[in-house]
Amino acid sequence: MSLRRLSPDQPASFAFKPEHGPRIKREVAKYPPGRQASAVIALLRLGQEQEGWVSKPMIEEIGRILSMPYIRVLEVATFYTMFNLEPVGEHLVQVCTTTPCWLRGSDDVVAACKKHIAPKPHTVSADGKFSWMEVECLGACVNAPMLQIGKDFYEDLDGPKTEALLEAFRRGETPKPGAGNGRHTSEPEGGALTLKDPKLYDGGYSRKTNGGGDEGATDAEAKRPTQGASDRDAPVQKPPGAAT
Amino acid sequence: MPSRKLIVDGKEIEADDGLTLLQACEMAGAEIPRFCYHERLSVAGNCRMCLVEWVGAPKPQASCALQVRDIFPNKDGTPAKINTKGQYVRKAREGVMEFLLINHPLDCPICDQGGECDLQDQAMGYGRAAFHRFNENKRAVEDKYMGPLVKTIMTRCIQCTRCVRFATEVAGVPDLGATGRGEDMEITTYLEKAFASELSGNVVDLCPVGALTSKPYAFNARPWELRKTESIDVMDAQGCNIRVDARGPAVLRVLPRLNEEINEEWISDKARHACDGLMRQRLDRPYVRKSGKLQPATWGEAFAVVAARVAETAPERMAAVVGDLAAAEEIKALKDLMTALGAAHLDCRQDGSKLVPGARPSYLFNATIAGVEAADAILLVGCNPRWEAPVLNARIRKAWLGGNLKIANIGPAVDLTYPVEQLGDALEGLANGSHAFAQTLKDAKRPMLILGPAALARRDGAAVLRMAAKIAADTGIIGPAGSAEEGGWNGFNVLHTAASRVAALDLGFVRGRDVAGIVDGAQKGEIDFLYLLGADEFDVGHLGRAFVVYQGSHGDAGAHNADVVLPGAAYTEKDGLYANFEGRVQRGRRATFPPGEAKEDWAILRALSDVLGKRLPYDTLEQLRAALVADAPHFARLGEAPVHSGADAAMWADVGSEGALEPGAAFGHAIADYYLTNPIARASVTMAECSRVFVAGAHKMAAE
């Protein structure tokens, strides 16, 4: 984490878009009267959604809306690293470099960003389309390495894939978010390796453990936890159709 | 309040639930080191230096942030055991100290805090000098701009946030804040804005390290070189207790002294930083005007000129005016001398206030400063306490923070650091009870009225005073005798700005024409001889052909227009009694000697009286004080605020004078520039800089 200061380039003014009016009202109304300053994070986030980053006029406007000293808003804006204090490109590329992603090659993703966007993070690319930054874990370790563009995750990347992804964005396309190596969400690469036995799903195991089906079981008996449930702390999920 | 038993270091004590463990340990006589904790600020609990052992707890406890009510007894019912000493506590504090010192620079030899630094002192006790295990680079932090009074060396900051809490809570100016977090946390003002408070100098005292130091005092002296004198401030009429630190002939700095009844432990920036004016523009020898120019003279020559002039002047054409910084002794001496000469016109009210001597409660701050905290409704009339008495303003703010205090203002709207209801032109409405706020005052248990100099200096000031007394009597501001538990409530308060004013009124330094009448008389040739005792705050440039004697410490407006200048002593250069606006008499003490040939003021008057053939009947200050006490016995009761419990209804009916208010007359500002209200402040470079940054700067911003 580095020193967080307001950007030297500041816009002349800031105003929330009129359509944000009701949302601001809703956020402020969440807190008792006199405690409206509690909505400062929500408003900073809303402002950042609108402009992409938090500027000095925005801080002052929020201070006025919430009747709090500007310095208090500045404190919050500089405390939370997810508020961007520098202008960002049209597409903000957030590269996860926390341990799991790093082990899976996030260095290559970072190198691709350096090559295609700007050599330094928090810098808008020459064409204004991108800026990139390193972030802490985004919670998609199972698809590491990954990055976030806008609100979408792009996963299972490597150097060339990242470059292709950025090229696509540069051309104005919006590639499909999600895993970048063809798999579905976080399924194993190349298809399932375990739990492949069809009997898991056609009720075969269920009949065996219950000693020939549960047709005769009463309601009360069906609801009583089995010994196995006690051992495992959770009942075995019945495959579809197991009851018949 | 419920309390519970604790065993602190083997000693059993009974502590109130509301106390913090740190306070309870101090009750038991233990000494707890601390950086962030401060009695007058909210608890932050972020320095961790006050760790103690609660036997049975898994970890050391930060005693400042742990309340006594949260400490439960042991399982067998015996009181909880707290240890503030021993290996366990020592090791914990040493660990904290090691972390604090990781990023603290080792620049004590060039640090202004050296010798009075909490970190330095506590590192002597808890520092582990024998080894260190941090081989990385120390953090460096950019210095911040906080205005002309506070110098910052932010690398030294240990993030105790005392300054942030002071600015937000006591000063009421939320200009300071902590940005960033973790190692990158920094104390700063909003985008390098100056810290715009009249109390900003206090953060220097609060800072436990050398991060915030006094800019004017930078690299001037070490604390152990200084001669410390306990005295009284005269920059406003509150009588704040100060310590004057001097080296050789120079006063190097002024610090506050603790006095719970007056200033707690704060003083205003003017009290603290005007002291560089004591070395500039000084009158260090007598001057006599010869052929239109002031020429240096000896005391004998100057006295001879005065005596010659007095001899040819009729007593009814003589006048004297007492300035704002005079001590009671010289007021008494001047009054005695003028009475002996038969001078017809005396005045002490340079600002044109319509107060008159007589019933003391009619011109005092009767509720007392500490009494402000008991008030539940305050009506301000023509006063701006933020400039007229900044420390009092902090007290009002404290009362407002404490609970249900309603404050209303009649006069120009100013930012007083707490919300104020502007009543506009409501004085008559309040007097006849038709205004809504009159009911608020009636409903309040301890209502209070503060009448400021701007109200009393109006041409109809006497009528305003009468009206204020009527409001006070009607709404229960002046309660009947013995109404409250403490023996009566009297919330009728007059706020003075001149340190000499109450003493001069006590001594009856009002006779004949007032200041405006004297100026008018001088222009018309009806006043031929005018004696100014440090009086510079009225129109001294238009005194016609009157012969003017100026006795004072600084070459300000009064001296420039004088025919004879007699060099006197400033407040740090003489022993003197001062009555503050509560009527509390306090003793100021001499810290240095007057420069050159200048003398203590009472001695000048005593010597002059000899030359004039009217020798004053006292040869020493003690004899003068005895005469003073004979005139006004309360001058013998030092440090006590008078108690005016309840009310003498007849007296209040007689305050001021009957008359209609001038229609459309507005309450102006009594003080045009807070930083330049007296000759000492006007001679001060620091005050000039403050005026440029805060007053002129604010005007410029308003104009834009």
Side-chain angles (χ1 to χ4, degrees), chain B residues 374-418:
Chain B
D376 48 2
I378 296 181
L379 174 65
L380 305 170
V381 181
C383 74
N384 173 5
R386 185 167 173 187
W387 272 12
E388 285 151 19
V391 181
L392 174 74
N393 199 50
R395 193 72 86 123
I396 298 175
R397 180 176 159 79
K398 187 179 171 191
W400 170 74
L401 282 175
N404 223 355
L405 175 61
K406 290 193 191 70
I407 305 157
N409 182 25
I410 301 181
V414 279
D415 175 15
L416 294 176
T417 71
Y418 38 83

Short mmCIF file of all heavy atoms in Angstrom, two decimals, chain B residues 374-418:
data_model
loop_
_atom_site.label_atom_id
_atom_site.label_comp_id
_atom_site.label_asym_id
_atom_site.label_seq_id
_atom_site.Cartn_x
_atom_site.Cartn_y
_atom_site.Cartn_z
N ALA B 374 -22.83 25.12 33.71
CA ALA B 374 -24.11 24.78 34.32
C ALA B 374 -25.28 25.35 33.53
O ALA B 374 -26.42 24.92 33.72
CB ALA B 374 -24.16 25.28 35.75
N ALA B 375 -25.00 26.30 32.64
CA ALA B 375 -26.09 27.00 31.95
C ALA B 375 -26.82 26.07 30.98
O ALA B 375 -26.23 25.14 30.43
CB ALA B 375 -25.53 28.20 31.19
N ASP B 376 -28.12 26.31 30.80
CA ASP B 376 -28.85 25.54 29.80
C ASP B 376 -29.50 26.42 28.74
O ASP B 376 -30.16 25.92 27.85
CB ASP B 376 -29.88 24.60 30.45
CG ASP B 376 -30.73 25.32 31.49
OD1 ASP B 376 -30.54 26.52 31.66
OD2 ASP B 376 -31.55 24.65 32.13
N ALA B 377 -29.32 27.74 28.85
CA ALA B 377 -29.74 28.62 27.76
C ALA B 377 -28.87 29.87 27.85
O ALA B 377 -28.66 30.40 28.94
CB ALA B 377 -31.21 29.00 27.88
N ILE B 378 -28.35 30.28 26.72
CA ILE B 378 -27.48 31.46 26.73
C ILE B 378 -27.97 32.44 25.67
O ILE B 378 -28.23 32.04 24.52
CB ILE B 378 -26.01 31.07 26.45
CG1 ILE B 378 -25.47 30.18 27.56
CG2 ILE B 378 -25.14 32.33 26.33
CD1 ILE B 378 -24.03 29.78 27.39
N LEU B 379 -28.11 33.68 26.07
CA LEU B 379 -28.45 34.73 25.13
C LEU B 379 -27.24 35.65 24.99
O LEU B 379 -26.78 36.23 25.96
CB LEU B 379 -29.66 35.52 25.64
CG LEU B 379 -30.04 36.76 24.82
CD1 LEU B 379 -30.51 36.36 23.43
CD2 LEU B 379 -31.13 37.56 25.53
N LEU B 380 -26.69 35.71 23.78
CA LEU B 380 -25.55 36.59 23.52
C LEU B 380 -26.08 37.89 22.96
O LEU B 380 -26.87 37.88 22.02
CB LEU B 380 -24.59 35.95 22.51
CG LEU B 380 -24.07 34.55 22.83
CD1 LEU B 380 -23.34 33.99 21.61
CD2 LEU B 380 -23.12 34.60 24.00
N VAL B 381 -25.67 38.99 23.55
CA VAL B 381 -26.12 40.29 23.04
C VAL B 381 -24.89 41.10 22.65
O VAL B 381 -24.09 41.47 23.50
CB VAL B 381 -26.95 41.05 24.09
CG1 VAL B 381 -27.42 42.37 23.51
CG2 VAL B 381 -28.14 40.22 24.53
N GLY B 382 -24.75 41.31 21.35
CA GLY B 382 -23.64 42.14 20.86
C GLY B 382 -22.29 41.64 21.28
O GLY B 382 -21.41 42.42 21.61
N CYS B 383 -22.11 40.33 21.28
CA CYS B 383 -20.77 39.86 21.61
C CYS B 383 -20.34 38.71 20.73
O CYS B 383 -21.15 37.97 20.20
CB CYS B 383 -20.63 39.52 23.09
SG CYS B 383 -21.40 38.01 23.60
N ASN B 384 -19.06 38.63 20.53
CA ASN B 384 -18.45 37.57 19.74
C ASN B 384 -17.40 36.92 20.62
O ASN B 384 -16.22 37.27 20.56
CB ASN B 384 -17.83 38.17 18.48
CG ASN B 384 -17.02 37.15 17.70
OD1 ASN B 384 -17.01 35.97 18.06
ND2 ASN B 384 -16.35 37.59 16.67
N PRO B 385 -17.80 36.01 21.50
CA PRO B 385 -16.84 35.46 22.46
C PRO B 385 -15.64 34.80 21.79
O PRO B 385 -14.58 34.73 22.38
CB PRO B 385 -17.67 34.44 23.27
CG PRO B 385 -18.95 34.28 22.55
CD PRO B 385 -19.15 35.48 21.70
N ARG B 386 -15.81 34.37 20.54
CA ARG B 386 -14.69 33.70 19.89
C ARG B 386 -13.49 34.64 19.76
O ARG B 386 -12.35 34.21 19.85
CB ARG B 386 -15.12 33.20 18.52
CG ARG B 386 -14.03 32.39 17.86
CD ARG B 386 -14.54 31.63 16.67
NE ARG B 386 -13.42 31.01 15.98
CZ ARG B 386 -13.51 30.39 14.84
NH1 ARG B 386 -14.68 30.25 14.26
NH2 ARG B 386 -12.45 29.87 14.27
N TRP B 387 -13.76 35.93 19.56
CA TRP B 387 -12.66 36.89 19.46
C TRP B 387 -12.45 37.65 20.76
O TRP B 387 -11.35 38.07 21.06
CB TRP B 387 -12.94 37.88 18.32
CG TRP B 387 -12.44 37.38 17.01
CD1 TRP B 387 -12.02 36.10 16.74
CD2 TRP B 387 -12.28 38.11 15.80
NE1 TRP B 387 -11.63 36.00 15.43
CE2 TRP B 387 -11.78 37.22 14.83
CE3 TRP B 387 -12.53 39.44 15.44
CZ2 TRP B 387 -11.51 37.62 13.52
CZ3 TRP B 387 -12.26 39.82 14.14
CH2 TRP B 387 -11.76 38.93 13.19
N GLU B 388 -13.52 37.85 21.51
CA GLU B 388 -13.40 38.68 22.70
C GLU B 388 -12.83 37.91 23.88
O GLU B 388 -12.21 38.49 24.77
CB GLU B 388 -14.76 39.29 23.04
CG GLU B 388 -15.09 40.43 22.08
CD GLU B 388 -16.58 40.63 21.85
OE1 GLU B 388 -17.38 40.15 22.66
OE2 GLU B 388 -16.93 41.25 20.85
N ALA B 389 -13.04 36.61 23.91
CA ALA B 389 -12.48 35.76 24.96
C ALA B 389 -12.48 34.31 24.45
O ALA B 389 -13.37 33.54 24.75
CB ALA B 389 -13.29 35.86 26.25
N PRO B 390 -11.48 33.97 23.64
CA PRO B 390 -11.50 32.65 22.97
C PRO B 390 -11.59 31.47 23.93
O PRO B 390 -12.22 30.46 23.62
CB PRO B 390 -10.18 32.63 22.20
CG PRO B 390 -9.74 34.03 22.09
CD PRO B 390 -10.31 34.75 23.27
N VAL B 391 -10.97 31.60 25.08
CA VAL B 391 -10.97 30.47 26.02
C VAL B 391 -12.37 30.32 26.64
O VAL B 391 -12.84 29.21 26.86
CB VAL B 391 -9.88 30.65 27.08
CG1 VAL B 391 -9.87 29.47 28.03
CG2 VAL B 391 -8.52 30.81 26.43
N LEU B 392 -13.03 31.45 26.86
CA LEU B 392 -14.42 31.38 27.34
C LEU B 392 -15.29 30.72 26.28
O LEU B 392 -16.19 29.93 26.58
CB LEU B 392 -14.94 32.79 27.64
CG LEU B 392 -16.42 32.87 28.00
CD1 LEU B 392 -16.64 32.32 29.40
CD2 LEU B 392 -16.94 34.29 27.90
N ASN B 393 -15.00 31.05 25.02
CA ASN B 393 -15.79 30.46 23.94
C ASN B 393 -15.64 28.94 23.93
O ASN B 393 -16.61 28.21 23.71
CB ASN B 393 -15.33 31.04 22.60
CG ASN B 393 -16.37 30.84 21.52
OD1 ASN B 393 -17.53 31.14 21.71
ND2 ASN B 393 -15.94 30.28 20.40
N ALA B 394 -14.43 28.47 24.21
CA ALA B 394 -14.22 27.02 24.29
C ALA B 394 -15.05 26.44 25.44
O ALA B 394 -15.55 25.32 25.35
CB ALA B 394 -12.74 26.71 24.49
N ARG B 395 -15.20 27.22 26.50
CA ARG B 395 -16.00 26.74 27.64
C ARG B 395 -17.48 26.67 27.26
O ARG B 395 -18.18 25.73 27.63
CB ARG B 395 -15.77 27.70 28.81
CG ARG B 395 -16.25 27.21 30.14
CD ARG B 395 -15.40 26.10 30.71
NE ARG B 395 -14.26 26.56 31.44
CZ ARG B 395 -14.00 26.25 32.72
NH1 ARG B 395 -14.80 25.45 33.39
NH2 ARG B 395 -12.92 26.68 33.31
N ILE B 396 -17.94 27.67 26.50
CA ILE B 396 -19.33 27.63 26.05
C ILE B 396 -19.54 26.43 25.14
O ILE B 396 -20.53 25.70 25.24
CB ILE B 396 -19.72 28.94 25.32
CG1 ILE B 396 -19.58 30.13 26.26
CG2 ILE B 396 -21.14 28.85 24.78
CD1 ILE B 396 -19.82 31.47 25.59
N ARG B 397 -18.56 26.19 24.27
CA ARG B 397 -18.66 25.04 23.38
C ARG B 397 -18.69 23.74 24.17
O ARG B 397 -19.43 22.81 23.87
CB ARG B 397 -17.48 25.03 22.41
CG ARG B 397 -17.53 23.86 21.46
CD ARG B 397 -16.44 23.86 20.43
NE ARG B 397 -16.26 22.51 19.92
CZ ARG B 397 -17.05 21.96 19.02
NH1 ARG B 397 -18.04 22.64 18.51
NH2 ARG B 397 -16.85 20.72 18.64
N LYS B 398 -17.88 23.69 25.23
CA LYS B 398 -17.86 22.49 26.08
C LYS B 398 -19.24 22.27 26.70
O LYS B 398 -19.73 21.14 26.72
CB LYS B 398 -16.80 22.69 27.17
CG LYS B 398 -16.54 21.50 28.03
CD LYS B 398 -15.45 21.85 29.04
CE LYS B 398 -15.28 20.79 30.09
NZ LYS B 398 -14.42 21.28 31.18
N ALA B 399 -19.85 23.37 27.16
CA ALA B 399 -21.18 23.26 27.75
C ALA B 399 -22.17 22.79 26.70
O ALA B 399 -23.05 21.96 26.97
CB ALA B 399 -21.61 24.60 28.33
N TRP B 400 -22.02 23.30 25.47
CA TRP B 400 -22.93 22.90 24.40
C TRP B 400 -22.75 21.42 24.07
O TRP B 400 -23.72 20.69 23.87
CB TRP B 400 -22.68 23.77 23.16
CG TRP B 400 -23.40 23.28 21.96
CD1 TRP B 400 -24.74 23.39 21.71
CD2 TRP B 400 -22.85 22.57 20.85
NE1 TRP B 400 -25.05 22.79 20.53
CE2 TRP B 400 -23.93 22.27 19.98
CE3 TRP B 400 -21.57 22.14 20.53
CZ2 TRP B 400 -23.72 21.57 18.79
CZ3 TRP B 400 -21.37 21.45 19.35
CH2 TRP B 400 -22.45 21.17 18.49
N LEU B 401 -21.48 20.97 24.03
CA LEU B 401 -21.22 19.56 23.74
C LEU B 401 -21.79 18.67 24.84
O LEU B 401 -22.23 17.56 24.58
CB LEU B 401 -19.71 19.31 23.65
CG LEU B 401 -18.99 19.71 22.37
CD1 LEU B 401 -17.50 19.48 22.53
CD2 LEU B 401 -19.51 18.92 21.19
N GLY B 402 -21.77 19.22 26.07
CA GLY B 402 -22.19 18.42 27.21
C GLY B 402 -23.66 18.11 27.23
O GLY B 402 -24.10 17.24 27.96
N GLY B 403 -24.46 18.83 26.49
CA GLY B 403 -25.87 18.49 26.54
C GLY B 403 -26.77 19.53 25.95
O GLY B 403 -26.50 20.08 24.90
N ASN B 404 -27.79 19.84 26.70
CA ASN B 404 -28.93 20.53 26.15
C ASN B 404 -28.81 22.03 26.30
O ASN B 404 -29.58 22.64 27.02
CB ASN B 404 -30.16 20.03 26.91
CG ASN B 404 -31.29 19.77 25.95
OD1 ASN B 404 -31.15 20.07 24.76
ND2 ASN B 404 -32.37 19.26 26.44
N LEU B 405 -27.86 22.63 25.66
CA LEU B 405 -27.68 24.07 25.79
C LEU B 405 -28.19 24.76 24.53
O LEU B 405 -27.78 24.44 23.43
CB LEU B 405 -26.19 24.38 26.00
CG LEU B 405 -25.81 25.85 26.04
CD1 LEU B 405 -26.50 26.55 27.17
CD2 LEU B 405 -24.31 25.98 26.19
N LYS B 406 -29.09 25.72 24.75
CA LYS B 406 -29.60 26.50 23.61
C LYS B 406 -28.91 27.86 23.64
O LYS B 406 -28.83 28.49 24.68
CB LYS B 406 -31.10 26.71 23.75
CG LYS B 406 -31.91 25.45 23.54
CD LYS B 406 -33.39 25.82 23.38
CE LYS B 406 -34.26 24.59 23.42
NZ LYS B 406 -34.30 24.00 24.77
N ILE B 407 -28.42 28.26 22.48
CA ILE B 407 -27.69 29.53 22.43
C ILE B 407 -28.33 30.40 21.35
O ILE B 407 -28.58 29.93 20.23
CB ILE B 407 -26.20 29.29 22.11
CG1 ILE B 407 -25.60 28.32 23.12
CG2 ILE B 407 -25.44 30.60 22.15
CD1 ILE B 407 -24.38 27.61 22.64
N ALA B 408 -28.61 31.63 21.72
CA ALA B 408 -29.18 32.56 20.74
C ALA B 408 -28.32 33.82 20.74
O ALA B 408 -27.66 34.14 21.72
CB ALA B 408 -30.61 32.91 21.11
N ASN B 409 -28.34 34.51 19.62
CA ASN B 409 -27.46 35.66 19.45
C ASN B 409 -28.24 36.84 18.90
O ASN B 409 -29.00 36.71 17.96
CB ASN B 409 -26.32 35.28 18.49
CG ASN B 409 -25.34 36.40 18.29
OD1 ASN B 409 -25.20 37.27 19.14
ND2 ASN B 409 -24.68 36.41 17.15
N ILE B 410 -28.04 37.98 19.54
CA ILE B 410 -28.54 39.24 18.97
C ILE B 410 -27.30 40.01 18.56
O ILE B 410 -26.49 40.40 19.39
CB ILE B 410 -29.35 40.04 19.99
CG1 ILE B 410 -30.54 39.22 20.46
CG2 ILE B 410 -29.81 41.35 19.38
CD1 ILE B 410 -31.41 39.92 21.47
N GLY B 411 -27.13 40.20 17.29
CA GLY B 411 -25.92 40.83 16.78
C GLY B 411 -25.51 40.16 15.49
O GLY B 411 -26.20 39.26 15.02
N PRO B 412 -24.41 40.59 14.92
CA PRO B 412 -24.01 40.03 13.63
C PRO B 412 -23.74 38.53 13.74
O PRO B 412 -23.25 38.06 14.77
CB PRO B 412 -22.74 40.79 13.26
CG PRO B 412 -22.34 41.54 14.47
CD PRO B 412 -23.48 41.61 15.41
N ALA B 413 -24.07 37.80 12.69
CA ALA B 413 -23.86 36.36 12.69
C ALA B 413 -22.37 36.08 12.52
O ALA B 413 -21.74 36.60 11.61
CB ALA B 413 -24.64 35.72 11.55
N VAL B 414 -21.82 35.30 13.44
CA VAL B 414 -20.42 34.89 13.32
C VAL B 414 -20.34 33.41 13.64
O VAL B 414 -21.22 32.87 14.32
CB VAL B 414 -19.50 35.67 14.30
CG1 VAL B 414 -19.16 37.03 13.75
CG2 VAL B 414 -20.13 35.79 15.66
N ASP B 415 -19.30 32.76 13.14
CA ASP B 415 -19.12 31.34 13.42
C ASP B 415 -18.49 31.21 14.80
O ASP B 415 -17.32 31.53 14.99
CB ASP B 415 -18.23 30.72 12.35
CG ASP B 415 -17.92 29.27 12.68
OD1 ASP B 415 -18.61 28.71 13.55
OD2 ASP B 415 -16.99 28.72 12.07
N LEU B 416 -19.27 30.76 15.76
CA LEU B 416 -18.76 30.65 17.12
C LEU B 416 -18.33 29.22 17.45
O LEU B 416 -18.05 28.92 18.60
CB LEU B 416 -19.82 31.12 18.12
CG LEU B 416 -20.18 32.61 18.05
CD1 LEU B 416 -21.29 32.93 19.00
CD2 LEU B 416 -18.96 33.45 18.37
N THR B 417 -18.31 28.34 16.50
CA THR B 417 -17.96 26.91 16.65
C THR B 417 -19.06 26.08 17.29
O THR B 417 -18.84 24.93 17.59
CB THR B 417 -16.63 26.67 17.42
OG1 THR B 417 -16.85 26.98 18.81
CG2 THR B 417 -15.51 27.54 16.88
N TYR B 418 -20.20 26.67 17.54
CA TYR B 418 -21.37 25.89 17.97
C TYR B 418 -22.60 26.54 17.35
O TYR B 418 -22.55 27.72 16.99
CB TYR B 418 -21.48 25.85 19.50
CG TYR B 418 -21.12 27.14 20.19
CD1 TYR B 418 -22.05 28.17 20.30
CD2 TYR B 418 -19.84 27.35 20.69
CE1 TYR B 418 -21.72 29.36 20.90
CE2 TYR B 418 -19.51 28.56 21.29
CZ TYR B 418 -20.45 29.56 21.40
OH TYR B 418 -20.12 30.75 21.99
#
